[in-house]
Amino acid sequence: MQSAASAVRCRACCAIFYFLACAVAAHADSTVCAECHWQIAENYARTGMGRSFRSVRADTRLPEFDGGAYDHEGSREHFTRLRRDGRYYVRRYQTGVDGKPANVRDEPVDYVIGSGNDWISYLHRTLDNKLIEFPVSWYPENGGHWGMSPGYDRPNHAGFSRQVSYRCMFCHNAYPATPTGPGDYDDATVFPSELPEGIDCQRCHGPGANHVAAAEQGGSSSVVRAAIVNPARLTPQRQLEICMQCHLETTRAQLPGYLKRFNRGVFSYRPGEPLADYIVYFDHAAGTGHDDKFELISAAYRLPKSACFTESGGRMTCNGCHDPHGALSREAAQRKTNAACNGCHQAKMAGLVRAGRHTAGEDCASCHMPKRRPTTAIHITVTDHLIQRPAATPISPPAVEEHDGNTAPYAGEVALYYPKEVDPVYSAVAQVKDLTNIQSGLARLEKLLAGPRLKDAEPYFVLGEALLRTGQTAKAVPMYQEAMKIEPANWRFLNGMGQAWQAAGKPDRAVDAFERAIALAPAETNLLYGLGEAYESQGRIREAVRTFRDASQRDPEDASALNNLGIDLNRAGDARGAEEALREAIRLQPETMMFHVNLAGLLMREGKPREAQHELEDAIRYGPSTLAEADLTLGALLVAAGQPEEGKAHLKRAIESPDPRIRAAAMRLLAKPEIRP
């Protein structure tokens, strides 16, 4: 008979064998799994994970598109759904000054993302193979309704411009066949033409090609089983980490909440390996007002705060309540959850029932893990996985969606969350990556990088980016150079170098860096922006026009390229072409403040002050707290138009700008005799 100790050793050896086997294996076509595991595959296809991502084809039925409309008060945008020529579209429009629809945009639906249990959103593929998230989603709560997608509930939302990154896809779909090397990073956005459809078996069981091959070759059952990960044979911690890879999010706020290990690709995690070998998590520092935050992706963050979890001695896993292979009915889910609770609390529950304080079969989770509205997605309710005593008074739902567009960003120490210890370089990088703890973080990271060169280029690149964003251009350039010594073919580092040379007033060097980056990554359309701006600095306006026109032709939906094109056409003396480009940029993305400011400046020069005033008023509505320049310009315009009191209100706001140039200009205007009381 096998001893307990030898059984533990056996299980550990099996886990190591599974991981080593899968680490070198390729992913299989997930449809092959159903040939042997058809019943599991059928059940899994009905789960939220199995329905996480799908293409919209001619025969796809989207019943939520049957009629109806949604109006967003903050941006004054109206959304309707329609079907035309066999395709689904979302139409966005505003009401123009003449009362007619303005800035009309019809965006085709190419993909559905989300299971529909909590919400469904939609994606569109651009000509340059980027995926764009829609600003509106479908929420099934209360019979179903449309609303702004999470993160969009504000006037200056991203509109049809938020690009899906590799890190987004990591948690919402199976692994796509993305490139390796410099193009494989969290914020990468260029996807292959073919994408998987739904999270597949291999996200929990690891790559399946060896397993399939062993089965097809008639291998013994032990060989076939050893060729793939069975999570049930892993330690409870490794089992938890399979769920944590997607369900652990410390925060959606800029911190950062995580850092992928410098030497790992986005889609390189394999079930069975320690999650900390792939990713490091960070959190708000304790005692800064964020200890009890409840955000959308919070299950694996809130559960470990529970006494039940800590007192389980590491035995509690997600599978105690959840069945990853099947979509349970409400009654079956309640029975499974109650059974998990009774595994520890059966005697106590029996006493409570006898005392009349509980009824037999009562749903434990509804009281002790209640559904709440997360602060980062106020249109839905999700289960709070913090196991807790029922609150004496109901927790008030958030009135405003909390994110960096609606609330002041966190500033302070970025605390290590998981694992408990890590190379100090990661902690130092976390302080500066989003400028959260910039002064302390810069000193720490610079000190760590002053010694012998690291084998990884990413810390040097992150430090260069932080120095550039804080105006320390002279110190940023050497950091990009250090990164390029380690990875000379990385176009991201060349792009950073180009930005640094541009900021340093050396456009010749900037042009060289951008051209080299484009040669390495011709599919990265965004690189053309830096090159075009460098041409502008050299006075090569024709080359700048050609560059931005190239970008807009590669993706006619790219509003930023059209905005830059309009600015340079105006510089080239083509006012008509400039106005057309700027108006098209606003049609595509009316939520962006600077597009309105740029068009207003052109209209003023063309002698159209009333139209210019309309554009500036739109600019202020989309960003009154950040666009002091618009307040300054509109204040001057109103004064010149004989409306000094209205102009005075805008100029007073401009005085509060941190920019001394804007403050001085506003004070000069306020000192004019026609404005002074």
Side-chain angles (χ1 to χ4, degrees):
M1 188 175 199
Q2 190 179 39
S3 69
S6 63
V8 171
R9 286 195 298 272
C10 179
R11 185 169 69 173
C13 290
C14 286
I16 293 171
F17 183 82
Y18 294 152
F19 170 62
L20 292 176
C22 291
V24 297
H27 284 78
D29 181 348
S30 60
T31 60
V32 176
C33 302
E35 295 179 10
C36 295
H37 308 284
W38 62 269
Q39 192 169 18
I40 291 176
E42 285 185 1
N43 290 335
Y44 177 76
R46 292 191 287 269
T47 67
M49 291 186 293
R51 295 180 287 115
S52 64
F53 191 96
R54 65 186 186 276
S55 299
V56 177
R57 300 181 175 88
D59 59 348
T60 300
R61 181 82 177 94
L62 298 179
E64 67 271 21
F65 272 68
D66 293 341
Y70 172 69
D71 299 329
H72 183 231
E73 183 178 352
S75 60
R76 299 182 190 174
E77 293 181 349
H78 313 282
F79 297 92
T80 59
R81 285 87 64 195
L82 57 141
R83 192 170 191 185
R84 185 174 66 240
D85 301 327
R87 297 190 73 179
Y88 288 100
Y89 293 82
V90 169
R91 170 171 291 174
R92 188 275 336 273
Y93 68 94
Q94 297 174 304
T95 301
V97 292
D98 56 0
K100 297 179 180 179
N103 298 325
V104 180
R105 179 174 181 178
D106 291 351
E107 200 64 55
V109 179
D110 293 320
Y111 302 96
V112 172
I113 187 167
S115 65
N117 293 341
D118 296 314
W119 86 92
I120 297 173
S121 195
Y122 310 92
L123 306 180
H124 166 62
R125 183 186 284 269
T126 65
L127 287 180
D128 56 349
N129 287 315
K130 295 184 175 71
L131 304 180
I132 305 299
E133 182 180 355
F134 283 35
V136 288
S137 294
W138 170 256
Y139 298 95
E141 188 177 279
N142 297 325
H145 64 93
W146 288 81
M148 300 304 286
S149 301
Y152 280 85
D153 211 347
R154 61 190 189 199
N156 59 335
H157 58 75
F160 291 102
S161 70
R162 182 189 282 177
Q163 298 177 3
V164 174
S165 68
Y166 280 14
R167 184 62 191 176
C168 296
M169 189 65 70
F170 175 84
C171 287
H172 286 281
N173 202 6
Y175 285 0
T178 53
T180 58
D184 185 5
Y185 65 104
D186 283 332
D187 295 329
T189 55
V190 179
F191 285 90
S193 57
E194 296 294 328
L195 291 173
E197 303 215 1
I199 295 168
D200 66 6
C201 310
Q202 297 166 103
R203 289 306 300 274
C204 297
H205 292 276
N210 286 352
H211 177 68
V212 172
E216 289 177 341
Q217 293 165 11
S220 66
S221 60
S222 60
V223 170
V224 173
R225 293 171 66 189
I228 199 163
V229 171
N230 182 348
R233 299 180 183 177
L234 300 175
T235 65
Q237 183 61 33
R238 293 290 93 84
Q239 292 180 44
L240 271 174
E241 289 174 344
I242 291 175
C243 303
M244 286 164 59
Q245 64 171 307
C246 289
H247 293 278
L248 174 58
E249 185 175 85
T250 60
T251 182
R252 289 207 161 195
Q254 292 183 5
L255 275 180
Y258 72 91
L259 288 175
K260 181 172 53 61
R261 292 284 184 174
F262 300 140
N263 61 338
R264 298 296 296 264
V266 176
F267 302 103
S268 68
Y269 172 71
R270 298 292 182 263
E273 71 167 315
L275 183 61
D277 288 354
Y278 166 75
I279 197 168
V280 178
Y281 292 94
F282 295 90
D283 197 5
H284 297 94
T288 58
H290 302 274
D291 295 347
D292 196 40
K293 62 178 178 285
F294 177 62
E295 300 185 11
L296 180 58
I297 312 300
S298 62
Y301 179 74
R302 298 279 285 178
L303 180 64
K305 294 175 176 285
S306 309
C308 291
F309 183 90
T310 55
E311 293 179 14
S312 75
R315 297 188 306 276
M316 181 179 283
T317 66
C318 304
N319 289 350
C321 294
H322 297 277
D323 180 0
H325 286 151
L328 301 178
S329 67
R330 182 176 180 180
E331 293 75 17
Q334 179 178 325
R335 289 194 298 270
K336 186 174 177 63
T337 303
N338 285 357
C341 296
N342 286 329
C344 293
H345 302 289
Q346 187 169 12
K348 185 175 182 179
M349 279 294 300
L352 291 171
V353 170
R354 286 194 300 271
R357 296 174 59 190
H358 265 277
T359 58
E362 189 170 351
D363 181 9
C364 304
S366 64
C367 289
H368 297 280
M369 301 174 71
K371 284 184 173 290
R372 294 173 53 192
R373 294 199 184 279
T375 58
T376 52
I378 62 176
H379 297 290
I380 59 175
T381 58
V382 295
T383 298
D384 183 355
H385 280 69
L386 173 64
I387 305 170
Q388 56 199 282
R389 294 180 183 275
T393 57
I395 299 174
S396 299
V400 176
E401 198 171 71
E402 291 185 8
H403 47 64
D404 293 319
N406 279 345
T407 53
Y410 171 75
E413 180 73 16
V414 180
L416 179 65
Y417 177 81
Y418 187 85
K420 298 303 181 185
E421 295 182 3
V422 74
D423 185 328
V425 172
Y426 284 93
S427 289
V429 166
Q431 311 305 313
V432 307
K433 186 174 177 62
D434 292 333
L435 308 185
T436 304
N437 189 24
I438 190 63
Q439 290 186 333
S440 172
L442 282 176
R444 287 158 60 179
L445 188 55
E446 286 180 300
K447 183 177 180 180
L448 287 168
L449 300 188
R453 182 180 299 146
L454 304 181
K455 65 177 181 179
D456 297 305
E458 195 71 15
Y460 298 100
F461 174 66
V462 171
L463 179 55
E465 295 282 277
L467 290 167
L468 178 61
R469 291 169 65 188
T470 54
Q472 303 179 64
T473 308
K475 295 173 70 175
V477 169
M479 293 302 104
Y480 293 119
Q481 291 172 333
E482 286 296 318
M484 290 169 60
K485 288 176 183 176
I486 300 170
E487 294 184 38
N490 194 315
W491 62 266
R492 294 169 57 222
F493 303 163
L494 280 166
N495 181 49
M497 176 66 74
Q499 300 288 349
W501 285 130
Q502 176 73 358
K506 297 182 179 180
D508 293 349
R509 294 188 177 185
V511 166
D512 175 68
F514 288 128
E515 288 179 341
R516 289 163 58 198
I518 290 168
L520 290 170
E524 295 290 339
T525 311
N526 292 345
L527 290 173
L528 296 173
Y529 300 154
L531 179 60
E533 290 172 355
Y535 283 149
E536 290 170 358
S537 298
Q538 290 180 318
R540 299 163 64 181
I541 303 304
R542 287 185 179 180
E543 287 91 336
V545 167
R546 184 192 66 234
T547 301
F548 291 124
R549 198 184 298 279
D550 182 17
S552 65
Q553 288 173 346
R554 291 196 199 183
D555 180 12
E557 301 168 37
D558 189 336
S560 295
L562 285 161
N563 174 67
N564 289 339
L565 176 61
I567 291 170
D568 284 324
L569 284 171
N570 187 45
R571 289 170 175 164
D574 184 359
R576 181 177 178 180
E579 184 174 343
E580 289 177 357
L582 290 171
R583 289 193 183 279
E584 177 63 6
I586 290 173
R587 186 190 72 82
L588 292 172
Q589 197 173 325
E591 309 86 6
T592 300
M593 301 169 290
M594 286 309 302
F595 295 175
H596 295 279
V597 171
N598 292 336
L599 178 57
L602 176 63
L603 293 171
M604 282 291 291
R605 287 187 290 274
E606 291 184 325
K608 302 175 181 178
R610 292 180 63 83
E611 293 182 50
Q613 178 175 339
H614 172 72
E615 296 300 330
L616 286 167
E617 287 172 346
D618 274 351
I620 290 170
R621 177 162 55 84
Y622 286 122
S625 63
T626 57
L627 199 59
E629 187 171 359
D631 268 316
L632 172 67
T633 308
L634 181 54
L637 177 66
L638 290 169
V639 170
Q643 303 177 52
E645 287 304 314
E646 292 86 342
K648 186 176 181 179
H650 291 288
L651 294 172
K652 284 185 173 180
R653 282 204 294 266
I655 285 179
E656 298 175 2
S657 167
D659 187 333
R661 178 185 58 85
I662 293 176
R663 289 201 306 270
M667 285 189 284
R668 283 197 301 271
L669 285 168
L670 284 169
K672 286 178 174 274
E674 60 267 35
I675 297 180
R676 290 202 307 267

